[in-house]
Amino acid sequence: MNTPYPSADQVFSSLDEATAETIAAKHGTPVYLISENALRERIRAMRAAVAAYPGGRIAWSFKTNPLLGILSIMRDEGLDVEVVSDFEYQTVREAGVPACDIVFNGPARSDDALVDALRGGAVVNLDHREELERLIALGDEIGERVKIGFRVKTEGQRRFGFSMERNELADAVARVTEAPHLQFGGLHNHLGADIRDLDRFRRFGTCLAELARKHGTPLDWVDVGGGLAGTNARPEETVRRHSWIHPQDYCAAVLPALIGTAHSLILEPGRSLIEPTGALLTRVVGVRTTPDGGPAYIIDGGVNSVSSALSRNPPVRALVDDSRHLQSATLYGPLCMNKDKPAENISLPVLRRGDLI
């Protein structure tokens, strides 16, 4: 039986009012909190699960939390890095990550960044035909026989990648064979975001395996992207704790069909690793009522601090004593906009200006 892992509200359940006040006094509010122990625990569980599959490789999705302190932990734990823009690529390179430990995806990349990445040995997955033609035109500036991959469209995807239905992928692979300095290296797809249905990953792994065999295996890499859910509820769901999908179950869903199709099987976890290990400490800066007369609290960190509050229902806890009466309340952020409402109709103690959440 897989070991359960705590969600964010469990990770920070031991944070008491006195400790929170000490943090707030030193750093001000709003301030982000990360549990390094919980983060390392998740990374190690993911690494152990991936290690059971030949060629398994983890490239952490940098966009999910582009803080250099988090990057340092990921690298310390042996993870590669996935980036999706020139800015992200340059940031992690300047932080000391060699190109050979980078997976470079995304729809909008400059010639300079692509050339640097390819010459340095990064995994580069192209998004569309125009990128391929640019690389062909660059010729020897890239180097001799560098390998490139292609992002493909599956499950009715429309925006990113090469279409199989319109033979875009087959045409691109054929085009590469005509370019003396390019080689076809691998395939990539990112199924989606916040996925809890492991059957989708099973079908996805089978689809990519069939596609890889069609184009000649073993490839150098098959990159299955990310998409594994975190623990926070969606807006249409009640605020509740979701069990973290164990990495063993995730890998058992997406990877078995791909064994033998490529020398490297790349996974790009992001939210599933970082989301349950982070929190935002905020302070009540105003008390008012909602239009229907209920209590509302204005806090100094809203959707400007946690934009995912617009699409998630994160757990909320007031760091006050247990003797206060509970009531249904709404939280407003500091922005002068209607959408800055991090939470509504949640059970909170009666709060006062200065209290911490």
Side-chain angles (χ1 to χ4, degrees):
M1 182 176 178
N2 292 331
T3 304
Y5 289 86
S7 56
D9 50 341
Q10 294 171 308
V11 168
F12 291 94
S13 62
S14 61
L15 179 65
D16 56 31
E17 184 179 0
T19 303
E21 285 289 358
T22 299
I23 294 171
K26 181 177 180 179
H27 300 285
T29 58
V31 59
Y32 297 107
L33 309 178
I34 295 288
S35 171
E36 182 175 347
N37 290 339
L39 179 56
R40 289 185 184 274
E41 180 180 39
R42 279 164 172 73
I43 296 169
R44 291 167 186 174
M46 181 69 78
R47 286 191 63 194
V50 173
Y53 297 86
R57 176 181 175 186
I58 302 174
W60 171 62
S61 175
F62 185 60
K63 66 176 178 289
T64 54
N65 195 312
L67 298 177
L68 295 184
I70 301 299
L71 175 64
S72 176
I73 292 172
M74 297 293 182
R75 293 293 291 165
D76 185 52
E77 291 292 338
L79 271 57
D80 295 332
V81 187
E82 186 256 352
V83 298
V84 294
S85 68
D86 284 19
F87 174 77
E88 290 185 14
Y89 177 74
Q90 294 299 336
T91 299
V92 301
R93 293 285 282 123
E94 290 171 5
V97 180
C100 60
D101 289 347
I102 295 174
V103 175
F104 197 3
N105 298 320
R109 296 166 289 184
S110 69
D111 289 351
D112 288 345
L114 286 171
V115 168
D116 187 82
L118 287 167
R119 290 180 70 91
V123 169
V124 174
N125 295 304
L126 301 189
D127 177 73
H128 52 275
R129 180 62 178 260
E130 186 267 346
E131 279 192 319
L132 174 58
E133 296 301 328
R134 283 163 48 202
L135 290 184
I136 292 174
L138 286 168
D140 294 339
E141 184 178 342
I142 295 175
E144 295 184 1
R145 306 297 286 173
V146 297
K147 294 182 178 179
I148 58 171
F150 298 109
R151 179 168 180 166
V152 296
K153 296 178 181 177
T154 62
E155 283 200 1
Q157 296 169 336
R158 298 180 62 86
R159 178 178 175 186
F160 300 105
F162 291 77
S163 169
M164 292 178 288
E165 290 80 3
R166 297 197 300 271
N167 291 319
E168 289 178 352
L169 177 61
D171 291 345
V173 173
R175 187 79 173 96
V176 167
T177 63
E178 302 170 356
H181 59 290
L182 297 178
Q183 288 181 293
F184 174 44
L187 296 172
H188 166 55
N189 183 270
H190 179 76
L191 187 57
D194 199 35
I195 300 170
R196 301 191 190 113
D197 182 358
L198 291 178
D199 284 337
R200 285 189 65 190
F201 285 115
R202 291 187 185 94
R203 295 192 298 270
F204 174 60
T206 299
C207 176
L208 281 184
E210 293 173 353
L211 187 60
R213 292 188 179 96
K214 180 179 178 181
H215 287 279
T217 55
L219 302 176
D220 286 88
W221 67 83
V222 171
D223 183 346
V224 303
L228 185 64
T231 58
N232 286 341
R234 304 183 185 99
E236 68 273 14
E237 299 171 321
T238 56
V239 178
R240 68 175 185 271
R241 179 184 305 121
H242 287 286
S243 297
W244 186 48
I245 297 174
H246 198 282
Q248 290 178 5
D249 297 328
Y250 168 56
C251 289
V254 73
L255 291 182
L258 291 164
I259 293 175
T261 63
H263 299 301
S264 293
L265 303 179
I266 303 172
L267 294 89
E268 301 170 358
R271 175 182 292 150
S272 61
L273 288 180
I274 197 72
E275 182 186 79
T277 71
L280 181 73
L281 182 63
T282 67
R283 194 179 292 279
V284 176
V285 294
V287 179
R288 58 168 302 163
T289 58
T290 62
D292 60 6
Y297 304 105
I298 304 168
I299 54 178
D300 57 9
V303 298
N304 57 327
S305 300
V306 182
S307 59
S308 59
L310 291 169
S311 58
R312 298 288 182 274
N313 283 326
V316 178
R317 182 164 67 96
L319 296 163
V320 298
D321 63 74
D322 297 332
S323 64
R324 301 191 194 181
H325 174 69
L326 294 175
Q327 55 188 351
S328 180
T330 295
L331 295 181
Y332 293 127
L335 304 183
C336 192
M337 54 185 285
N338 287 330
K339 290 198 299 184
D340 191 16
K341 188 163 51 176
E344 60 182 326
N345 301 322
I346 60 172
S347 180
L348 286 173
V350 174
L351 298 178
R352 311 181 188 101
R353 177 179 167 82
D355 287 337
L356 291 172
I357 294 178

